[in-house]
Amino acid sequence: MRYAIHLNPVYSAKISTPFFFATTGILKREGGFVFIDSLDDSNTIFDGECTDYFSNGQPEYVRNYNNGLLDGEFLIYENSGLVKQIGVYVAGKLTGQCTEFLDNGEYILINYKDGIPETDSYIKGNANGNMSKFKFSDDTPIWEAPM
């Protein structure tokens, strides 16, 4: 898809806030940058908070960058505006607790360290406070007795 780029006035020597529009005129992305490659977006170096949008104008992703690396909290949204996933990156790697909200009202918790899950399991919970642990390999429950 082709995009047009509109730049707001530059308020520092390093970062500006571009607005990327699809050729239809619908806002697709906005955020700070260090460098924009107009021919290959994968070479663009973002910096600060960047937001991608669905065609209906709702946010799709809110991500924070530090000189091109994901760094800080990120949010992924459903087209309806509900949060689908939340977590934290440090220097480009998932770190700490990442939560995914499922359509049935349940959620999944995974703890990361340097971009890798800390354990071979994840926790699934629901709005009633019930939580269960499952293996990544085959989704079988892990039964543990409370201590």
Side-chain angles (χ1 to χ4, degrees):
M1 177 178 272
R2 294 178 48 95
Y3 295 94
I5 300 172
H6 168 72
L7 299 178
N8 279 346
V10 176
Y11 295 106
S12 77
K14 177 182 168 189
I15 301 170
S16 183
T17 304
F19 295 89
F20 297 84
F21 292 87
T23 53
T24 60
I26 297 171
L27 179 63
K28 188 67 182 153
R29 175 183 286 162
E30 64 182 334
F33 67 93
V34 175
F35 170 77
I36 291 179
D37 186 332
S38 61
L39 300 177
D40 184 357
D41 193 41
S42 67
N43 294 327
T44 297
I45 300 173
F46 292 101
D47 200 271
E49 185 176 289
C50 294
T51 304
D52 291 4
Y53 294 92
F54 287 108
S55 59
N56 67 1
Q58 290 282 353
E60 182 176 7
Y61 301 100
V62 177
R63 297 175 276 208
N64 290 280
Y65 291 86
N66 183 3
N67 200 32
L69 289 176
L70 287 165
D71 197 72
E73 185 177 77
F74 74 90
L75 294 159
I76 300 173
Y77 292 90
E78 302 267 348
N79 200 349
S80 65
L82 295 174
V83 174
K84 183 176 182 176
Q85 193 172 10
I86 185 169
V88 174
Y89 279 93
V90 175
K93 297 179 180 180
L94 275 171
T95 302
Q97 183 173 287
C98 183
T99 306
E100 181 179 353
F101 300 96
L102 306 176
D103 292 336
N104 63 4
E106 295 179 332
Y107 57 91
I108 293 175
L109 302 174
I110 302 172
N111 288 309
Y112 288 88
K113 183 175 182 178
D114 294 325
I116 300 169
E118 289 189 87
T119 65
D120 62 351
S121 62
Y122 63 92
I123 295 172
K124 187 183 277 189
N126 63 29
N128 296 328
N130 300 320
M131 298 173 81
S132 300
K133 191 182 281 189
F134 296 87
K135 291 181 187 178
F136 277 122
S137 60
D138 59 7
D139 291 324
T140 59
I142 299 172
W143 304 106
E144 296 179 336
M147 299 181 123

